[in-house]
Amino acid sequence: MSKFILAVDAGTTSNRAILFNHEGKIERISAKEFEQIFPQNGWVEHNPEEIWATQKFVIRDVIKKHKINASDINAIGITNQRETTIVWDRETSEPIYNAIVWQDRRTAKYCDELKDKGLTKKIHEKTGLLIDAYFSASKIKWILDNVEGAREKAEQGKLAFGTVDSWLIWRLTHGNIHATDVTNASRTMLYNIHELKWDKELLDIFEIPESLLPEVKQSSEVYGTTVKEHFGGAIKISGIIGDQQGALFGQMCIEKGMTKNTYGTGCFVVMNTGTEAIISKNNLLTTIAWQLNDEVNYALEGSIFMGGAVIQWLRDQLQIISRAPEVESLALSVPDNGGVVLIPAFVGLGAPHWDQYATGTIIGLTRGTGKAHIARAALESIALQSMDVIKTMTEDSGIDIIDLRVDGGAATNDLLMQTQSDLIEQKVVRPAITETTALGAAYMAGLATGFWSDVDEIQKLWSVDKVFEPKENSNTDQLIVNWNKGLERAKHWNK
């Protein structure tokens, strides 16, 4: 049997290829950032050709630097930024517009119109989602309505839609496969998560022809193979899972009530609810966790738009740090935030507030405020947003979280993890391998091909790096009071 599984991790700011061995350990990583495009206020785009080019580059880079051949790779698993929307020409494989990223808010007013029509309940019951510009459906409609000739071509069956996973599979297979999995489909606002099919009524509401859509598969099955010329040989593609669901599986949160938080560009708290789709009463999302061996697991999810991206903002816009890891030492140079509260609603507020008109706010500034106080408040804002979601999730599910399993780039920040533990008054567990999003995709791919025999075998591979216990004298009460006051001032600012 081939020695490795290759995980393709198509993120929001970079693409990565990660080579895992049979013990679930990383052998090699290659990463490459790509351009973030901001055509107007609230608009966020990517160049789909650049997404493909950077992804192809990092896969080739891993193969070359590890001195292996395509035949050494058992299978490819894909995990991806969800909701990001790409429409391309089926004949030429060329995108007709840039990818509209999940953070993009251009369709916010259209979403308000849908709410005014009384469609919130219907869409929530069918999809588990709230009407918001975050999801793919309104983005697809925008492209069809605003790109010349797009709607006519779509009606003729000449266009294809996909989230990033579908786009990459299309290019990896030279257009032979137009597919996605249930986790990505469940984030489009067009997929009925109970009946497991594209919903004709929702397609009519959004005026989207069904011919545009990919075939929906399980998260773990052999979909096809890459064409030989890409990597010097054909490689099976046998895992697809949205990034947050991938992290849930990679963290081995396989039982009902197990919960993880990924601290990536955004933060995403996800709780496994087993085979039951719990419809939230408190503005959380119900989503499909995965489909494996014909069984569907569901999850509750709270999406936070600005997580690690807050640190990027400190680095790139404020320029108070030159590298992201510097934020921890800067924040630790002061004993507390000095009364500063930072509400990182740069693209609105996600769960549980769902206020697309909120804006970023810094409050509590005095003459004594320095960059270290702002850095500390920025880190705290990530933990405070996560706290809001976790508390809401516990209320919705009736399940107490025993511990919180964490991953993503910012999970390596000890101050942030300790603050998180203090705020939720629970253990925070960081695994030995924090690349759990990619690991989940690798596991899905390897299970489909027999690289790993079953979930029990995989579960034995999970190991802990560090556990953060809540401190008794953490003084979080005032932090929470100030946070809630700041939230109220940031909400509805642009309305």
Side-chain angles (χ1 to χ4, degrees):
M1 182 174 283
S2 306
K3 302 172 190 172
F4 308 108
I5 296 287
L6 180 71
V8 165
D9 187 351
T12 305
T13 57
S14 68
N15 279 326
R16 294 184 300 165
I18 304 178
L19 204 61
F20 289 97
N21 63 25
H22 197 266
E23 285 69 50
K25 292 183 178 166
I26 295 170
E27 292 274 353
R28 181 79 60 174
I29 298 180
S30 180
K32 193 170 179 62
E33 289 192 0
F34 51 83
E35 186 185 3
Q36 307 295 301
I37 303 165
F38 308 103
Q40 295 184 29
N41 273 346
W43 291 30
V44 189
E45 296 178 359
H46 295 152
N47 179 341
E49 294 290 4
E50 191 182 5
I51 291 174
W52 162 237
T54 53
Q55 194 65 72
K56 185 166 63 171
F57 171 85
V58 293
I59 295 172
R60 287 177 170 173
D61 192 51
V62 158
I63 291 170
K64 180 183 176 183
K65 287 185 176 168
H66 211 61
K67 297 178 181 176
I68 58 173
N69 300 313
S71 59
D72 293 313
I73 299 171
N74 178 270
I76 291 174
I78 297 174
T79 186
N80 57 288
Q81 50 159 318
R82 306 164 304 170
E83 299 95 20
T84 294
T85 296
I86 305 171
V87 177
W88 64 91
D89 187 297
R90 288 183 180 274
E91 290 181 12
T92 66
S93 295
E94 292 178 359
I96 66 166
Y97 189 78
N98 274 344
I100 302 181
V101 181
W102 56 273
Q103 296 165 317
D104 190 281
R105 309 305 301 165
R106 76 186 66 187
T107 59
K109 287 185 178 174
Y110 169 70
C111 289
D112 283 346
E113 291 169 16
L114 295 178
K115 292 174 192 172
D116 291 342
K117 289 178 182 176
L119 291 167
T120 299
K121 186 169 185 251
K122 182 191 293 288
I123 289 174
H124 191 215
E125 286 176 350
K126 285 173 179 277
T127 69
L129 308 178
L130 303 168
I131 296 174
D132 194 85
Y134 176 33
F135 305 107
S136 309
S138 64
K139 302 179 196 295
I140 302 170
K141 177 175 166 53
W142 188 94
I143 290 173
L144 296 185
D145 288 346
N146 289 276
V147 176
E148 189 176 351
R151 184 162 290 285
E152 184 183 359
K153 276 191 167 183
E155 298 288 355
Q156 294 168 353
K158 292 180 178 179
L159 299 182
F161 150 76
T163 40
V164 174
D165 58 305
S166 298
W167 169 243
L168 291 176
I169 289 172
W170 181 274
R171 298 305 290 262
L172 286 165
T173 64
H174 274 189
N176 288 322
I177 299 172
H178 185 210
T180 190
D181 88 305
V182 289
T183 66
N184 282 291
S186 74
R187 310 295 295 190
T188 59
M189 218 154 65
L190 299 170
Y191 191 72
N192 190 311
I193 63 170
H194 311 288
E195 297 177 5
L196 302 181
K197 63 183 184 183
W198 298 117
D199 193 286
K200 293 194 186 313
E201 188 177 9
L202 296 180
L203 290 171
D204 288 343
I205 288 168
F206 288 98
E207 301 176 275
I208 295 169
E210 192 167 0
S211 63
L212 212 62
L213 305 175
E215 184 180 358
V216 183
K217 305 273 198 178
Q218 294 192 75
S219 309
S220 177
E221 64 175 278
V222 178
Y223 316 105
T225 58
T226 65
V227 293
K228 291 179 182 178
E229 52 262 43
H230 285 324
F231 313 115
I235 307 171
K236 289 177 184 173
I237 305 169
S238 55
I240 311 172
I241 190 163
D243 52 9
Q244 303 317 316
Q245 292 95 329
L248 189 71
F249 195 74
Q251 286 276 32
M252 283 289 99
C253 293
I254 55 175
E255 294 175 14
K256 185 174 181 177
M258 296 184 79
T259 306
K260 71 89 197 174
N261 191 10
T262 296
Y263 299 81
T265 302
C267 284
F268 300 87
V269 185
V270 186
M271 173 190 279
N272 187 336
T273 63
T275 55
E276 181 187 4
I278 297 174
I279 300 298
S280 172
K281 297 182 179 66
N282 294 293
N283 294 330
L284 297 181
L285 309 178
T286 306
T287 197
I288 294 177
W290 52 75
Q291 186 180 18
L292 180 63
N293 299 326
D294 296 320
E295 182 175 89
V296 174
N297 269 52
Y298 292 91
L300 276 175
E301 177 178 322
S303 307
I304 295 160
F305 298 151
M306 295 290 289
V310 182
I311 310 306
Q312 289 177 328
W313 178 73
L314 295 180
R315 181 192 68 190
D316 300 339
Q317 269 69 40
L318 292 194
Q319 297 183 357
I320 64 173
I321 53 173
S322 57
R323 293 171 56 251
E326 293 171 13
V327 71
E328 185 172 11
S329 57
L330 179 59
L332 283 168
S333 69
V334 289
D336 53 47
N337 62 26
V340 176
V341 178
L342 191 156
I343 309 294
F346 298 101
V347 289
L349 284 169
H353 310 286
W354 291 105
D355 182 350
Q356 55 196 3
Y357 298 106
T359 62
T361 305
I362 302 177
I363 204 162
L365 301 176
T366 68
R367 284 289 299 273
T369 300
K371 61 183 181 180
H373 298 107
I374 294 171
R376 190 158 188 133
L379 277 180
E380 289 167 349
S381 76
I382 300 170
L384 284 156
Q385 289 179 101
S386 300
M387 174 201 71
D388 284 345
V389 171
I390 290 163
K391 285 184 175 178
T392 306
M393 197 167 274
T394 302
E395 290 171 19
D396 264 348
S397 65
I399 302 168
D400 287 328
I401 294 171
I402 299 166
D403 59 32
L404 180 69
R405 297 187 174 187
V406 299
D407 54 71
T412 59
N413 187 308
D414 284 2
L415 175 59
L416 174 58
M417 294 301 98
Q418 185 60 57
T419 303
Q420 191 69 82
S421 177
D422 294 341
L423 285 167
I424 64 172
E425 299 178 298
Q426 297 287 356
K427 282 193 294 187
V428 168
V429 182
R430 184 169 66 203
I433 296 177
T434 56
E435 296 285 355
T436 52
T437 300
L439 190 56
Y443 285 158
M444 285 296 177
L447 285 168
T449 61
F451 188 81
W452 290 292
S453 57
D454 54 30
V455 174
D456 288 341
E457 181 185 358
I458 289 172
Q459 201 168 9
K460 291 170 187 170
L461 303 177
W462 192 79
S463 60
V464 174
D465 168 52
K466 190 169 181 178
V467 177
F468 299 85
E469 303 265 6
K471 291 179 181 173
E472 288 184 20
N473 301 316
S474 59
N475 195 28
T476 56
D477 290 349
Q478 191 59 48
L479 204 59
I480 294 168
V481 168
N482 289 350
W483 170 253
N484 288 327
K485 285 161 68 178
L487 277 174
E488 292 311 308
R489 285 156 175 79
K491 285 179 178 178
H492 315 303
W493 185 263
N494 277 332
K495 194 155 189 178

